[in-house]
Amino acid sequence: SGGTWLTVTPTEGQTPANLTVAVNPQGLSAGTYTGTVTIRSVDGVAPTVQVRVTCTLAQPVPTISALKSPAANEATGRLTPGMLIELYGSGLGPVEGVLSRVGSNNRLETITGDTRVLFDEVPSPLLFVRNDQVNAIVPYEVSNRRTVRVVVSSAGNRSFPLTFEVAQAEPGIFAYPGISQGKILNQDNTINTATNGAEPDSIIQLYATGEGIHDAVTQYADGAITGALL
């Protein structure tokens, strides 16, 4: 008793036997939790034994409940090098949201608000962190892997890893919230719409992610700021 955080195995058997009591802090807020393991015989001959268990969490354990691509606006099971992603859950970072900064090497920092996102232990550039959401960039180092394990580390506590498939490309165009209109600009930087189309032979700008690695010549750097657009 006490909640789903407390389990015991096996739940039945014959004596003599060893029982293993386990605590799963996933999804629990900081605080003290109590539960009881009750051991009784089927025939009622042996005396009932109760073991009290107390679990104290100084900090909530990060829990990842969903990983989404902001371009697809839905949960995704495949990641690509350089993809922008959104992680949702609890205990992922500070209560107040924190924006990432650009370091002296002209790259986005990989630690923000004492939060990190690790892809097979490779830290990813971060864009934003908060208790319930983290925006990050998949490191280019995952390009030659079939799968990758994602972990969120917050205030020294680590989430259970989630495994995702790695794809060569999974492109998607960003959309404006609540509508199917893509984030596409005309050459004069106005929004491209059905009533504001692009002029023939003009340049349009598409905002997307998940394009993966384009070629073997380009030097890719995680979180690098490329400078002003021409």
Side-chain angles (χ1 to χ4, degrees), residues 97-196:
V98 180
L99 291 172
S100 184
R101 298 175 300 177
V102 178
S104 58
N105 59 354
N106 207 37
R107 297 188 187 183
L108 288 168
E109 59 188 6
T110 57
I111 302 178
T112 300
D114 207 11
T115 293
R116 295 193 303 163
V117 180
L118 305 172
F119 292 76
D120 284 346
E121 300 304 315
V122 177
S124 71
L126 301 177
L127 298 168
F128 173 81
V129 300
R130 195 174 59 199
N131 177 63
D132 59 345
Q133 179 179 344
V134 175
N135 294 0
I137 304 174
V138 180
Y140 286 106
E141 282 87 339
V142 309
S143 59
N144 295 321
R145 307 178 191 187
R146 299 184 62 181
T147 60
V148 64
R149 286 157 56 95
V150 180
V151 170
V152 173
S153 173
S154 179
N157 296 315
R158 294 167 62 99
S159 68
F160 286 140
L162 296 181
T163 300
F164 295 89
E165 180 184 351
V166 177
Q168 183 176 358
E170 192 87 350
I173 299 175
F174 293 111
Y176 290 99
I179 60 176
S180 60
Q181 172 67 43
K183 289 190 175 181
I184 304 171
L185 301 181
N186 296 323
Q187 188 164 334
D188 60 0
N189 289 325
T190 60
I191 299 175
N192 179 279
T193 65
T195 58
N196 187 42

Side-chain angles (χ1 to χ4, degrees), residues 20-82:
T20 300
V21 177
V23 171
N24 180 2
Q26 288 287 318
L28 298 181
S29 301
T32 300
Y33 299 83
T34 59
T36 303
V37 177
T38 302
I39 307 168
R40 64 170 60 93
S41 63
V42 176
D43 55 17
V45 175
T48 297
V49 177
Q50 289 189 322
V51 180
R52 186 176 177 85
V53 179
T54 301
C55 173
T56 301
L57 294 178
Q59 294 288 339
V61 175
T63 301
I64 303 173
S65 59
L67 187 153
K68 296 182 180 181
S69 166
N73 197 30
E74 60 184 16
T76 179
R78 306 209 310 170
L79 303 177
T80 64

